[in-house]
């Protein structure tokens, strides 16, 4: 039996040049954001408490809680909106296809009966408002000609909807945006709450939708939000300005002061719960807290910067004021949480992966530390029980395809021909040493007892490295897909495209072939020695894993065929008594060496998209990572 | 006397002609043993094999009622095709003792292609001889005849 113990969540997926929208719960301190096809619910009080909703078929863009906190509406790039329950296992209420293109923002009406969604429609509708339970259209929105980036519902009467976007109206000096303000139908209907008056009167509702265009910005308007009491709304734009408007009439009443203002595009804005302050996040790598004065202007109260590496990854693309927490998200995916009451305190930084976590490593000396790496070159250190502990900053951020770690050293290879060895002390990486081995490395392994010896396999052969010197390059004559070197460096096993395992003994700098084992019926994808070196296990692309005895080279456990897709990774438990395999079919299966393969523990749906990294931290805990950019720790209870 | 003899002859001729697809005859013992399993419950399982030289399906192994599911899976060879009949006893949610007769077409991936073809083309004809099969299962590797698979198909 297995149970999820901890989840180290992924961070919101970000894109250069666009802001992201995160939203908070009206009832608790949970925030919602999206990564890939998942919607993540993160509890700000307990960042290890993460729930993931993974039912979208397309990458999700924005998610929002309903005003009563019971439902969440989430939207994706195909224009579909899914409404599901917060409790009860995320039961789906309804799914609607709302727009024909990507949905950029979504808002519930204050009574929770209507939803307005805006985004990119193909020429026709850019904004649509509909009833939350039936999907019937409520109101026509005209006037936009380009992508609508944000929309907002006025929370009090008289109701309004404000939308903003990328429109440009062909003015002579190239003015590029418009702000459309609509009188919402609720205002005109006699009784709005029962909703019936709306459906009874579809004819006049279209005609009676006067719209006001506000053209005060000179660049894309990225975000628009009403104050909690509905008296004003603030729009922020790529022209570095923020403008306050009256909530009822739409007249401009003031701006965010330009002295000490932002020096870059402002991507997002959020009001404080009392409506007296606003938080803005900008590409100039700072977030500012503004005091809203009586005359509708804003004055900077505080500038917040997040500690960062200083590159473009520090640009801030999203923000949220959730009760006492100020949450700011950077382009690199770091979520910084400031306290609203103590603005001087250093923020809590949470980070994680944004992309597929392709490998995992647990250090033998300290099994509580887990290192995970993703192909974009990010290496993150996690501590079991605490969560995010830091990123390993490397001097050159090349992409990582293969990754191996021992006590004080990391060896990585990317998509070029180089293999890098980086010494690590604490969180800092020293100067890396690289060696060009002539062709792209396919697989990498270190002899654990003598880590300066490394075996790198390439398309047609292997290279033995001592330190960073290639001591020999051997062309083996067959297409190599996986390799492993024994911890003492005396033996190497190379697996080929045809499923054959070749065992070589290493003497000095040469390899002599000892045996060829033929049992796999697909290309070998992973080979691992057991910690006590008496056995080794191999997995192939035909979803089968086999455990062999090292000395006799006989099959020890077979029929491990319970996966339904290729096996991506394999890990041994520290006492060599069980083996875990992770596959593209999103499952992790743990087999006991002494029992037949049919008595296995299966963890279904461990990672949406496939499991790519696996490691054991102790006898009863398995850590897995996958395509959904999350790292999960599972506790196994013996049956 | 003569008429009954000619009747028997005609029956066997019909049997041979009917199997024109693969040319495999069915030995009488197959059906007899199956009826004994069904009515008198004298066996837990029966494993059938196609003898290519005699062009017949014959009974290869019989399992005692006391034998378990593991004994049955152990009696299926890993590299050759077989047909099998298994009498599976289980208890339903309402605490009723029930039994289901399974027909298993065992065709492992590692068997020879010719063998798989012969077994596949003779299967329908053979199944028709065994009247009273409740569930059919096709298995291509040991994971597909796992006990959990049988349990889920039984209800």
């Amino acid at each position: 039996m297995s149970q999820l113990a901890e989840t180290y969540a992924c961070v919101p997926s970000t894109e250069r040049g666009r802001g992201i929208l995160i939203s908070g719960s009206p009832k608790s301190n949970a925030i919602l954001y999206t990564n890939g096809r998942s919607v993540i619910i993160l509890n700000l009080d307990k960042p290890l408490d993460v729930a993931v909703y993974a039912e979208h078929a397309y990458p999700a863009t924005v998610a929002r809680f309903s005003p009563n906190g019971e439902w969440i509406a989430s939207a994706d790039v195909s224009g579909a909106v899914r409404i599901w329950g917060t409790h009860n296992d995320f039961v789906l209420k309804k799914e609607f296809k709302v727009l024909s293109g990507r949905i950029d923002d979504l808002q519930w009406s204050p009574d929770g009966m209507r939803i307005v969604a805006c985004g990119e429609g193909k020429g026709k509708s850019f904004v649509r408002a509909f009833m939350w339970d039936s999907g019937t259209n409520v109101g026509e929105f005209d006037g936009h000609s380009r992508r609508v980036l944000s929309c907002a519902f006025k929370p009090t009467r008289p109701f309004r909807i404000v939308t903003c976007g990328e429109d440009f109206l062909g003015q002579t000096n190239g003015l590029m945006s418009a702000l459309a303000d609509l009188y919402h139908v609720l205002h005109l209907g006699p009784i709005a709450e029962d909703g019936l008056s709306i459906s009874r009167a579809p004819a006049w509702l279209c005609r009676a939708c006067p719209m006001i265009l506000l053209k005060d910005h000179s660049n894309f308007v990225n975000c628009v939000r009403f104050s909690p009491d509905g008296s004003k709304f603030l729009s922020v734009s790529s022209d570095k300005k923020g403008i306050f408007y009256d909530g009822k009439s739409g007249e401009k009443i003031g701006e965010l002061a330009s002295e000490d203002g932002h020096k870059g595009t402002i991507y997002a804005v959020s009001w404080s719960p009392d409506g007296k302050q606003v938080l803005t996040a900008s590409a100039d790598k700072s977030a500012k807290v503004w005091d809203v004065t009586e005359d509708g202007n804003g004055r900077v109260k505080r500038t917040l910067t997040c500690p960062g590496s200083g590159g473009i990854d520090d640009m801030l693309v999203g923000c949220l004021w959730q009760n006492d927490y100020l949450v700011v998200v950077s382009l690199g995916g770091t979520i910084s949480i400031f306290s609203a009451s103590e603005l001087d305190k250093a923020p809590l930084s949470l980070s994680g992966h944004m992309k597929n976590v392709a490998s995992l490593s647990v250090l033998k000396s300290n099994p509580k530390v887990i290192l995970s790496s993703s192909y974009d070159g990010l290496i993150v250190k996690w501590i079991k029980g605490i969560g995010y502990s830091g990123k390993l900053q490397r001097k050159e951020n090349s992409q990582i395809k293969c990754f191996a770690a021992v006590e004080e050293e990391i060896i990585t290879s990317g998509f070029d021909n180089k293999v890098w060895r980086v010494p690590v002390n604490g969180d800092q990486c020293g100067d890396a040493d690289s060696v060009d081995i002539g062709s792209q490395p396919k697989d990498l392994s270190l002899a654990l007892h003598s880590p300066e010896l490394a075996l790198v396999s390439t398309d047609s052969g292997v290279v033995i490295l001592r330190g960073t010197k290639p001591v020999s390059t051997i062309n083996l004559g067959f297409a190599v897909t996986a390799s492993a070197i024994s911890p003492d460096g005396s033996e190497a096993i190379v697996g080929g495209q045809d499923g054959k395992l070749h065992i070589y003994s290493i003497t000095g700098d040469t390899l002599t072939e000892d045996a060829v084992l033929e049992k796999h019926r697909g290309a070998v994808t992973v080979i691992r020695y057991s910690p006590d070196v008496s056995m080794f296990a191999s997995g192939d692309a035909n979803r089968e894993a086999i455990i062999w005895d090292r000395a006799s080279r006989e099959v020890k456990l077979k029929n491990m065929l319970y996966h339904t897709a290729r096996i991506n990774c394999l890990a041994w438990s520290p006492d060599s008594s069980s083996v875990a395999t992770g596959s593209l079919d999103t499952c992790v299966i743990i087999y006991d060496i002494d029992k037949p393969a049919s008595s296995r523990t299966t963890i279904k749906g461990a990672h949406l998209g496939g499991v790519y990294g696996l490691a054991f931290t102790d006898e009863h805990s398995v850590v897995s990572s996958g395509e959904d950019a999350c790292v999960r720790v599972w506790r196994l209870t013996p049956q | 006397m003569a008429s009954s003899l000619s009747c028997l002859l005609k029956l066997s001729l019909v049997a041979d002609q009917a199997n024109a697809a693969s040319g495999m005859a069915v030995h009488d013992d197959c059906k007899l043993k199956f009826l004994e399993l069904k009515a008198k419950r004298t066996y837990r399982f029966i494993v059938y094999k196609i003898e290519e030289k005699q062009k017949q399906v014959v009974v290869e192994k019989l399992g005692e009622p006391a034998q378990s599911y593991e004994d049955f899976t152990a009696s299926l060879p890993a590299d050759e095709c077989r047909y099998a009949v298994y009498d599976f006893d289980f208890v339903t949610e309402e605490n009723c003792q029930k039994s289901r007769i399974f027909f298993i077409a065992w065709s492992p991936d590692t068997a020879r292609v010719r063998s798989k073809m012969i077994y596949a083309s003779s299967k329908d004809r053979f199944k028709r001889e065994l009247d009273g099969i409740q569930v059919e299962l096709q298995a291509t590797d040991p994971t597909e005849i796992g006990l959990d698979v049988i349990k889920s198909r039984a209800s």
Side-chain angles (χ1 to χ4, degrees), chain A residues 521 542-543 558-562 598 600, chain B residues 78 109-110 140-144 146 148:
Chain A
R521 288 173 277 153
N542 194 31
R543 72 199 198 287
K558 54 185 175 134
N559 286 348
M560 299 162 72
L561 268 165
Y562 289 92
S598 48
R600 62 207 187 275
Chain B
D109 282 331
T110 43
T140 58
D141 66 43
T143 63
E144 292 179 10
D148 42 352

Side-chain angles (χ1 to χ4, degrees), chain A residues 262-509:
Chain A
H262 279 297
K263 296 178 186 44
T265 301
I266 310 180
Y267 280 116
V269 64
S270 185
W271 287 81
S272 66
D274 59 8
K276 296 207 176 53
Q277 293 174 320
V278 279
L279 170 68
T280 53
S282 157
D284 66 358
K285 305 180 191 165
S286 71
K288 291 186 196 291
V289 178
W290 309 76
D291 274 326
V292 182
T293 56
E294 285 310 317
D295 57 354
N297 279 315
R299 243 191 8 245
V300 177
K301 179 174 168 182
R302 203 48 192 256
T303 301
L304 306 165
T305 41
C306 316
S309 57
I312 59 159
D313 275 350
D314 293 337
M315 285 197 200
L316 298 176
V317 290
C319 65
L320 180 70
W321 194 310
Q322 176 74 0
N323 302 332
D324 188 44
Y325 294 103
L326 297 178
V327 181
V328 177
V329 182
S330 73
L331 186 64
T334 308
I335 302 177
S336 304
I337 306 174
F338 294 84
S339 163
S341 45
E342 297 164 46
L343 287 172
D344 284 324
K345 215 164 68 155
L348 172 67
S349 277
L350 295 174
S351 190
H353 285 282
M354 213 188 293
K355 300 261 191 283
N356 178 0
V357 181
S359 36
L360 268 187
S361 212
V362 173
L363 293 177
K364 247 205 295 206
S365 58
N366 189 356
K368 280 201 184 297
V369 174
I370 302 164
L371 287 174
S372 58
S373 77
S374 53
Y375 73 79
D376 53 3
L378 185 61
I379 306 178
V380 178
K381 194 162 116 168
W382 308 91
I383 297 190
K384 209 168 137 195
I386 300 179
Y388 174 71
S389 152
K391 289 188 199 173
L392 251 55
Q393 305 282 9
R394 296 180 302 147
K395 303 248 165 65
E396 53 312 297
N397 266 343
S398 49
Q399 291 177 321
I400 297 181
K401 181 169 178 236
C402 312
F403 173 78
V406 278
E407 296 322 308
E408 277 128 32
E409 202 177 11
I410 292 181
I411 177 168
T412 67
S413 72
F415 294 99
D416 52 16
N417 293 348
K418 295 206 172 78
V419 173
W420 297 84
R421 268 190 194 268
V422 186
V424 177
N425 2 336
D427 280 349
Q428 292 302 337
C429 295
D431 288 316
D433 259 333
S434 79
V435 53
D436 184 319
I437 56 173
S439 48
Q440 192 191 112
K442 285 286 188 67
D443 201 0
L444 192 58
S445 72
L446 284 172
L448 290 172
H449 295 326
S450 45
E452 80 276 0
L453 190 59
L455 184 74
V456 183
S457 63
T458 61
D459 207 22
S460 56
V462 291
V463 176
I464 303 179
L465 292 178
R466 212 171 276 279
T468 47
K469 271 179 7 95
V471 285
S472 60
T473 307
I474 302 156
N475 187 321
L476 293 171
F478 57 88
V480 175
T481 46
S483 64
I485 185 169
S486 66
D488 55 7
S490 63
E491 201 178 63
I493 308 178
V494 180
Q497 183 80 24
D498 52 3
K500 294 195 192 149
L501 287 171
H502 299 250
I503 304 186
Y504 297 91
S505 52
I506 302 179
T507 39
D509 298 334

Side-chain angles (χ1 to χ4, degrees), chain A residues 31-86:
Chain A
I31 61 170
L32 284 176
Y33 58 84
T34 61
N35 177 309
R37 290 189 281 144
S38 333
V39 177
I40 291 106
I41 307 173
L42 178 74
N43 192 334
L44 290 174
D45 301 320
K46 280 182 289 171
L48 278 184
D49 181 10
V50 167
V52 176
Y53 177 75
E55 303 289 321
H56 275 280
Y58 292 90
T61 49
V62 65
R64 267 191 217 289
F65 278 96
S66 67
N68 61 8
E70 289 299 310
W71 304 97
I72 295 180
S74 56
D76 61 25
V77 299
S78 72
V81 174
R82 279 182 156 247
I83 301 172
W84 37 283
T86 325

